[in-house]
Amino acid sequence: SYIAPPVVAVFVLGVLWRRATASGALASLVTGLALGTGLFLLNVTVWDSGLHFLYAGSILFVICTLVHVGVSLRTAPAPPEELEALVWSPARYRREASELRNVRWYADYRFGSLILLALTAWVVITFR
């Protein structure tokens, strides 16, 4: 919960937001690393603040997302042709879905993703 939030923020914004930039990603990762490390050391070794690690993860995610958005809006955007293959869009999804119509069910990555999701849900429910 102290390490993952900046990576998740960078991934989500990078995939879903065309305006996200590399400078914003770097600033978010550095900020998240510094805050996460500092918060962990403060919370675990120096002073027990009582802040649950799941709350710490959520707070770090929000801060890293805000840093990424702020820095990205202050830097030059990437050219649209560079973003075409990187950013998700409904048109891209429709194009890919039409390409996968002729693929066997076991070769379709979406089926594998559903199996992975079901196994993850089973593990979480079973071992909670």
Side-chain angles (χ1 to χ4, degrees):
S1 284
Y2 294 99
I3 296 172
V7 175
V8 173
V10 167
F11 178 77
V12 168
L13 286 174
V15 170
L16 298 177
W17 190 40
R18 290 186 170 275
R19 188 63 178 81
T21 63
S23 299
L26 181 63
S28 179
L29 290 171
V30 169
T31 301
L33 177 65
L35 288 177
T37 302
L39 190 58
F40 175 77
L41 291 175
L42 181 67
N43 200 23
V44 173
T45 61
V46 178
W47 172 63
D48 184 13
S49 66
L51 181 66
H52 194 271
F53 70 94
L54 292 178
Y55 291 133
S58 300
I59 292 167
L60 286 171
F61 176 78
V62 169
I63 291 171
C64 291
T65 300
L66 292 174
V67 167
H68 193 157
V69 168
V71 173
S72 291
L73 290 175
R74 286 173 176 74
T75 55
E81 57 272 2
E82 286 182 13
L83 300 175
E84 183 60 33
L86 301 174
V87 180
W88 183 86
S89 70
R92 184 176 179 80
Y93 174 77
R94 286 190 293 273
R95 185 172 53 247
E96 185 177 13
S98 68
E99 292 171 2
L100 291 172
R101 282 194 186 116
N102 299 328
V103 174
R104 295 265 197 207
W105 64 270
Y106 54 83
D108 188 347
Y109 75 91
R110 296 175 297 181
F111 180 74
S113 299
L114 285 175
I115 290 174
L116 183 61
L117 181 64
L119 287 172
T120 303
W122 176 77
V123 167
V124 168
I125 291 168
T126 303
F127 297 105
R128 62 183 164 131

